[in-house]
Short mmCIF file of all heavy atoms in Angstrom, two decimals:
data_model
loop_
_atom_site.label_atom_id
_atom_site.label_comp_id
_atom_site.label_asym_id
_atom_site.label_seq_id
_atom_site.Cartn_x
_atom_site.Cartn_y
_atom_site.Cartn_z
N HIS A 44 -5.00 28.44 -7.29
CA HIS A 44 -5.91 29.23 -6.47
C HIS A 44 -6.01 30.62 -7.07
O HIS A 44 -5.01 31.30 -7.24
CB HIS A 44 -5.39 29.31 -5.03
CG HIS A 44 -6.28 30.10 -4.13
ND1 HIS A 44 -7.43 29.57 -3.58
CD2 HIS A 44 -6.21 31.37 -3.70
CE1 HIS A 44 -8.01 30.51 -2.83
NE2 HIS A 44 -7.31 31.61 -2.90
N MET A 45 -7.24 31.02 -7.39
CA MET A 45 -7.48 32.33 -7.98
C MET A 45 -8.51 33.05 -7.11
O MET A 45 -9.44 32.41 -6.60
CB MET A 45 -8.04 32.17 -9.40
CG MET A 45 -7.13 31.38 -10.31
SD MET A 45 -7.92 30.99 -11.89
CE MET A 45 -8.88 29.57 -11.43
N HIS A 46 -8.34 34.36 -6.96
CA HIS A 46 -9.33 35.08 -6.17
C HIS A 46 -9.42 36.55 -6.59
O HIS A 46 -8.50 37.11 -7.15
CB HIS A 46 -9.04 34.98 -4.67
CG HIS A 46 -7.78 35.65 -4.25
ND1 HIS A 46 -6.56 35.04 -4.31
CD2 HIS A 46 -7.56 36.90 -3.78
CE1 HIS A 46 -5.64 35.87 -3.88
NE2 HIS A 46 -6.21 37.01 -3.56
N THR A 47 -10.60 37.10 -6.31
CA THR A 47 -10.87 38.52 -6.48
C THR A 47 -11.50 38.98 -5.17
O THR A 47 -11.61 38.20 -4.22
CB THR A 47 -11.84 38.80 -7.65
OG1 THR A 47 -13.12 38.27 -7.32
CG2 THR A 47 -11.34 38.19 -8.95
N ASP A 48 -11.97 40.20 -5.13
CA ASP A 48 -12.64 40.68 -3.92
C ASP A 48 -14.04 40.09 -3.78
O ASP A 48 -14.67 40.24 -2.75
CB ASP A 48 -12.69 42.20 -3.89
CG ASP A 48 -13.39 42.79 -5.10
OD1 ASP A 48 -13.63 42.07 -6.08
OD2 ASP A 48 -13.71 43.99 -5.06
N LYS A 49 -14.54 39.37 -4.81
CA LYS A 49 -15.88 38.81 -4.77
C LYS A 49 -15.92 37.28 -4.65
O LYS A 49 -16.91 36.73 -4.19
CB LYS A 49 -16.67 39.21 -6.01
CG LYS A 49 -16.93 40.69 -6.10
CD LYS A 49 -17.74 41.01 -7.33
CE LYS A 49 -17.94 42.52 -7.41
NZ LYS A 49 -18.72 42.90 -8.56
N ALA A 50 -14.87 36.61 -5.10
CA ALA A 50 -14.92 35.15 -5.16
C ALA A 50 -13.52 34.54 -5.14
O ALA A 50 -12.52 35.23 -5.36
CB ALA A 50 -15.67 34.71 -6.41
N MET A 51 -13.49 33.21 -4.89
CA MET A 51 -12.26 32.43 -4.93
C MET A 51 -12.56 31.14 -5.70
O MET A 51 -13.60 30.53 -5.50
CB MET A 51 -11.80 32.04 -3.52
CG MET A 51 -11.42 33.19 -2.65
SD MET A 51 -10.84 32.64 -1.02
CE MET A 51 -12.37 32.14 -0.26
N PHE A 52 -11.64 30.76 -6.59
CA PHE A 52 -11.77 29.51 -7.32
C PHE A 52 -10.53 28.67 -7.04
O PHE A 52 -9.41 29.16 -7.15
CB PHE A 52 -11.85 29.74 -8.83
CG PHE A 52 -13.07 30.45 -9.33
CD1 PHE A 52 -13.18 30.78 -10.66
CD2 PHE A 52 -14.12 30.79 -8.49
CE1 PHE A 52 -14.30 31.45 -11.15
CE2 PHE A 52 -15.24 31.45 -8.96
CZ PHE A 52 -15.34 31.77 -10.30
N LEU A 70 -15.76 26.44 -6.27
CA LEU A 70 -16.09 27.85 -6.37
C LEU A 70 -16.58 28.34 -5.02
O LEU A 70 -17.47 27.73 -4.42
CB LEU A 70 -17.17 28.07 -7.42
CG LEU A 70 -16.94 27.43 -8.80
CD1 LEU A 70 -18.07 27.76 -9.73
CD2 LEU A 70 -15.61 27.85 -9.38
N MET A 71 -16.01 29.45 -4.55
CA MET A 71 -16.37 29.98 -3.24
C MET A 71 -16.60 31.49 -3.32
O MET A 71 -16.00 32.16 -4.14
CB MET A 71 -15.25 29.70 -2.23
CG MET A 71 -15.00 28.23 -1.98
SD MET A 71 -13.40 27.94 -1.20
CE MET A 71 -12.29 28.08 -2.60
N ASN A 72 -17.46 31.97 -2.43
CA ASN A 72 -17.62 33.41 -2.24
C ASN A 72 -16.37 33.93 -1.53
O ASN A 72 -15.53 33.15 -1.07
CB ASN A 72 -18.87 33.69 -1.40
CG ASN A 72 -20.14 33.37 -2.15
OD1 ASN A 72 -20.38 33.92 -3.21
ND2 ASN A 72 -20.91 32.45 -1.62
N ASP A 73 -16.25 35.24 -1.41
CA ASP A 73 -15.06 35.82 -0.77
C ASP A 73 -14.90 35.40 0.69
O ASP A 73 -13.80 35.42 1.22
CB ASP A 73 -15.08 37.34 -0.89
CG ASP A 73 -16.27 37.98 -0.19
OD1 ASP A 73 -17.27 37.28 0.05
OD2 ASP A 73 -16.18 39.18 0.12
N ASP A 74 -15.99 34.95 1.34
CA ASP A 74 -15.90 34.51 2.73
C ASP A 74 -15.63 33.00 2.86
O ASP A 74 -15.62 32.46 3.97
CB ASP A 74 -17.18 34.88 3.50
CG ASP A 74 -18.42 34.19 2.95
OD1 ASP A 74 -18.32 33.40 1.98
OD2 ASP A 74 -19.51 34.46 3.50
N GLY A 75 -15.44 32.31 1.74
CA GLY A 75 -15.14 30.88 1.76
C GLY A 75 -16.36 29.99 1.67
O GLY A 75 -16.23 28.77 1.56
N SER A 76 -17.55 30.56 1.70
CA SER A 76 -18.77 29.75 1.56
C SER A 76 -18.94 29.34 0.09
O SER A 76 -18.42 30.00 -0.81
CB SER A 76 -19.98 30.54 2.05
OG SER A 76 -20.19 31.69 1.24
N LEU A 78 -20.05 29.01 -3.61
CA LEU A 78 -20.61 29.94 -4.58
C LEU A 78 -21.58 29.17 -5.46
O LEU A 78 -21.18 28.21 -6.13
CB LEU A 78 -19.51 30.57 -5.43
CG LEU A 78 -19.96 31.46 -6.57
CD1 LEU A 78 -20.48 32.79 -6.02
CD2 LEU A 78 -18.84 31.71 -7.55
N ALA A 128 -17.92 31.44 -14.46
CA ALA A 128 -19.03 30.95 -13.64
C ALA A 128 -20.22 31.88 -13.83
O ALA A 128 -20.16 33.06 -13.48
CB ALA A 128 -18.62 30.88 -12.18
N VAL A 130 -23.39 33.05 -12.46
CA VAL A 130 -24.03 33.00 -11.14
C VAL A 130 -25.46 33.52 -11.16
O VAL A 130 -26.23 33.25 -10.23
CB VAL A 130 -23.19 33.72 -10.06
CG1 VAL A 130 -21.87 32.99 -9.84
CG2 VAL A 130 -22.93 35.16 -10.44
N GLN A 134 -25.02 38.03 -14.20
CA GLN A 134 -23.69 38.12 -13.59
C GLN A 134 -22.85 36.90 -13.91
O GLN A 134 -23.28 35.75 -13.71
CB GLN A 134 -23.80 38.27 -12.07
CG GLN A 134 -22.44 38.44 -11.40
CD GLN A 134 -22.54 38.51 -9.89
OE1 GLN A 134 -23.55 38.18 -9.29
NE2 GLN A 134 -21.45 38.92 -9.26
N ILE A 136 -18.76 35.52 -13.34
CA ILE A 136 -17.47 35.75 -12.70
C ILE A 136 -16.43 34.98 -13.50
O ILE A 136 -16.57 33.78 -13.72
CB ILE A 136 -17.46 35.28 -11.23
CG1 ILE A 136 -18.49 36.08 -10.42
CG2 ILE A 136 -16.06 35.44 -10.63
CD1 ILE A 136 -18.67 35.58 -8.99
N THR A 137 -15.39 35.68 -13.94
CA THR A 137 -14.33 35.08 -14.75
C THR A 137 -13.00 35.25 -14.04
O THR A 137 -12.68 36.33 -13.55
CB THR A 137 -14.26 35.74 -16.13
OG1 THR A 137 -15.51 35.54 -16.81
CG2 THR A 137 -13.13 35.16 -16.96
N MET A 138 -12.24 34.16 -13.98
CA MET A 138 -10.88 34.22 -13.44
C MET A 138 -9.96 33.45 -14.37
O MET A 138 -10.37 32.48 -15.01
CB MET A 138 -10.83 33.64 -12.03
CG MET A 138 -11.57 34.49 -11.03
SD MET A 138 -11.16 34.02 -9.37
CE MET A 138 -12.68 34.44 -8.54
#
Side-chain angles (χ1 to χ4, degrees):
H44 180 80
M45 302 171 279
H46 66 274
T47 67
D48 58 347
K49 295 182 182 181
M51 296 182 286
F52 293 175
L70 310 181
M71 297 163 281
N72 291 301
D73 62 339
D74 63 1
S76 64
L78 174 73
V130 294
Q134 183 183 14
I136 298 174
T137 299
M138 292 194 210

